Amino acid sequence: MKKLIVIVALGLFTFGVQSCKKPPLPVMEEQTDTSGGGSGGNGGGEEEEVIVSPYVGTWDYSKIDLKNGTLSLMGQDLGEFTGVGKDITGKVIITEKPNRYTTDLSFTAVVTVFGQQQELPVDKQTSSGTWTESNGEISLTEDGGQPIGILSSTSSKIVFTGNFTEAIDVQFGSIEANSDVEFTITK
């Protein structure tokens, strides 16, 4: 009889302790992934929250600035130009585990040459590589090992540099246009 009383008392004590527990307060993170393998109930342990980097996701190209542009024809310097991108279509997809990025981009370069505006369609460009995050900043490296210059990065906007090279066909040959580019992508 004593064993029965002890078992009933232990059961009531366990029930009383469980019913007095307050549920844990949720941790507010920008993005979390809790699909990591726990059973999700009282029987199989607790799920571990995995914090996903705020850089993971799909980013859209929003601005392109062409700077320090030079024009040359058969090796002869013809002058300088500046420009912007319009009709921008493209995106950067950043994934985690593995930390990869892929990008595709096409746009029309509106350049000012000798006081005249010219529109140069730029064919679709693609690239890919790896990324790391340190102290809240992202670093990108192309698959060939070339680091990409990051000017600024936040969880909603990344500005990075590149190079623009385009051949402009004219009656007497092909003019080479080359400039630095600042790309802005937003999430």
Side-chain angles (χ1 to χ4, degrees):
M1 182 74 172
K2 284 185 181 182
K3 285 184 181 182
L4 181 60
I5 293 174
V6 170
I7 291 174
V8 169
L10 184 59
L12 289 174
F13 177 75
T14 302
F15 176 75
V17 168
Q18 290 297 324
S19 66
C20 290
K21 285 186 178 179
K22 293 181 181 179
L25 295 174
V27 176
M28 299 305 289
E29 296 289 338
E30 190 161 323
Q31 294 181 358
T32 59
D33 177 8
T34 57
S35 61
S39 68
N42 293 338
E46 294 183 23
E47 292 181 358
E48 183 177 318
E49 279 193 54
V50 177
I51 298 173
V52 177
S53 169
Y55 293 109
V56 172
T58 300
W59 297 72
D60 294 313
Y61 282 92
S62 59
K63 185 177 178 186
I64 298 173
D65 288 319
L66 305 169
K67 299 179 176 192
N68 307 317
T70 59
L71 299 170
S72 62
L73 176 66
M74 293 187 264
Q76 297 296 317
D77 186 26
L78 296 177
E80 299 177 353
F81 73 93
T82 59
V84 296
K86 78 170 199 175
D87 302 329
I88 303 167
T89 58
K91 62 184 176 275
V92 176
I93 299 173
I94 298 176
T95 60
E96 194 169 52
K97 296 181 183 177
N99 287 14
R100 301 276 305 155
Y101 77 87
T102 57
T103 180
D104 63 77
L105 171 67
S106 64
F107 64 99
T108 299
V110 180
V111 297
T112 303
V113 181
F114 310 123
Q116 302 278 331
Q117 273 197 350
Q118 299 286 325
E119 292 190 4
L120 306 171
V122 177
D123 294 331
K124 184 176 184 177
Q125 306 289 315
T126 60
S127 68
S128 60
T130 59
W131 68 274
T132 58
E133 183 180 353
S134 178
N135 296 324
E137 299 272 326
I138 191 168
S139 297
L140 303 172
T141 304
E142 291 179 322
D143 279 337
Q146 180 70 29
I148 294 175
I150 304 293
L151 299 176
S152 65
S153 64
T154 67
S155 61
S156 62
K157 179 179 172 181
I158 301 173
V159 180
F160 60 96
T161 61
N163 190 273
F164 169 79
T165 303
E166 192 69 30
I168 306 165
D169 292 325
V170 293
Q171 288 177 330
F172 44 86
S174 182
I175 296 176
E176 294 294 320
N178 190 358
S179 77
D180 298 326
V181 185
E182 277 185 20
F183 300 99
T184 301
I185 58 176
T186 54
K187 195 172 184 188

